Every structure is written in C-alpha cells, then in structure tokens.
Amino acid sequence: MDNDVSTARTAGAGATPLGYLALGLTLLAFGLFSTGVIDNTAAGDAARLALYVGGFTQFVAGMWEFYRGSAFAGTAFASLGAFWVTWAAASGSPAGKEVTGLFFLLWALLALSLTVAAWQLGGVAQTAFGLLTVSTVLFGIAAFADNSGLGKAAGWVGVAAGAVAWYGGTALLTNATWGRRALPSDGWRLAVPHRGHA
C-alpha cells in the first residue's frame, strides 16, 4: 500500500516548467516597466501580473513540487510566489525608501540562497537566480539612494533574469512534450561537477 502511494506521488507531471515560465513572465514585465522603456509605465503597473502569475501561480507550482519531493523547486517557487504576492499587495501603498530598500535586500538573500543551491543544476538555473540576485540587490540600493538610474539598471538585469527563466521553462516544457532534448536546458554549466556525479 505504501509503495502504491509513493509511486502515485512521483508519477504526476512536475510543475517546474510552470514555475520558471511564471517567474520569467513576471520578471520580464516588472523589469521592462522599471526601465521606463515603455511610455507611461512604472514597476507598479506589473502588480496584477505579479499577484496572479508571479505570486499565486508560482506558489502553487512550489507546493506541487514539494508534494513531488523536490526541495529546491518547491522552495524556489513557493518563496518567490510569496515575494510577488507581498510586493503586489504593497505596491499601492506609500512606503519609505528604507522599507523598500530593506525589502529588496532581504529578498536578495533568498535569491542568493537559490543561486548557491542551483550550482549543480546547470547554467539556466544558475544564471536566472544569479541575475535575480543582482537585480534585487540593485533595486535595494536604488531605493536606499533614491537613484532612478540605478533602478532602471536593476530593471534591465531583471529583464535578463526573466528571459533566462522563460527560456528555462520553455526548454523543460518542450523537451518533456517532445520526449527528447529539443532545446538545451542544462548547458552553460559554470561549476565543475564533483567526482562521481553524472
């Protein structure tokens, strides 16, 4: 009976592609709106996308990955989902630059943890979470310094992180659907695997 339950839990489809796609689309919108490249937009205009796609969708993807036994994907998507829900909820209310700066710097610690944990997962995960770390650090410093130019630079780094996350989700989904490695999803490895690792 226990064997049947464990087999059922691992047999379902994973939510990692969904988590990466939701992260990618949200970061692309948030980043682009932060750069000022689109007229009459600001980061706050991404609040609804951040709430539903970045927040709820990623959180559900994270819970599903926890259920399937993936601590990394579960932690990454559930915690980033919480980040986007929190940001979207606070985006309409005035907050001091110190509060905003601290908010981004604290979440930069999470992004750094994910970057370190992803070190053996390949370049897509490393790059997406590494760029997310840089972006959140820059957003935090820009808020503390009240520097819109640095905020725009942070937005561009966020766009790059979103593009990598979107590509990662697309590659994982495409490869799973096609049943073969149609798009590379584990290349760009920056770390040398330890002996004995495949």
Side-chain angles (χ1 to χ4, degrees), residues 14-23 61 65 77 165-166 168-174 176:
T16 298
L18 174 63
Y20 275 113
L21 288 169
L23 175 62
E65 285 299 324
F77 300 133
W166 169 82
T170 301
L172 290 171
L173 182 62
T174 302

Side-chain angles (χ1 to χ4, degrees), residues 106-123:
L106 289 174
W107 286 100
L109 289 176
L110 169 71
L112 179 61
S113 296
L114 295 173
T115 304
V116 171
W119 204 249
Q120 294 296 317
L121 296 179

Side-chain angles (χ1 to χ4, degrees), residues 6-176:
S6 65
T7 301
R9 285 184 60 183
T10 58
T16 298
L18 174 63
Y20 275 113
L21 288 169
L23 175 62
L25 294 176
T26 307
L27 280 171
L28 283 167
F30 179 78
L32 282 172
F33 290 169
S34 297
T35 63
V37 72
I38 302 172
D39 290 337
N40 301 317
T41 61
D45 294 322
R48 286 199 178 182
L49 180 73
L51 178 62
Y52 295 111
V53 178
F56 294 148
T57 303
Q58 272 195 91
F59 188 80
V60 170
M63 291 297 103
W64 184 251
E65 285 299 324
F66 275 133
Y67 177 76
R68 295 186 75 241
S70 175
F72 176 80
T75 301
F77 300 133
S79 57
L80 289 172
F83 164 79
W84 288 115
V85 167
T86 305
W87 179 81
S91 67
S93 60
K97 62 182 184 178
E98 292 82 8
V99 172
T100 304
L102 183 61
F103 174 79
F104 278 110
L105 290 180
L106 289 174
W107 286 100
L109 289 176
L110 169 71
L112 179 61
S113 296
L114 295 173
T115 304
V116 171
W119 204 249
Q120 294 296 317
L121 296 179
V124 172
Q126 291 170 353
T127 305
F129 293 119
L131 288 171
L132 179 60
T133 303
V134 173
S135 180
T136 49
V137 166
L138 290 176
F139 273 122
I141 294 170
F144 276 119
D146 200 16
N147 186 323
S148 63
L150 191 55
K152 289 180 181 182
W156 284 115
V157 177
V159 168
V164 173
W166 169 82
Y167 172 80
T170 301
L172 290 171
L173 182 62
T174 302
N175 294 347

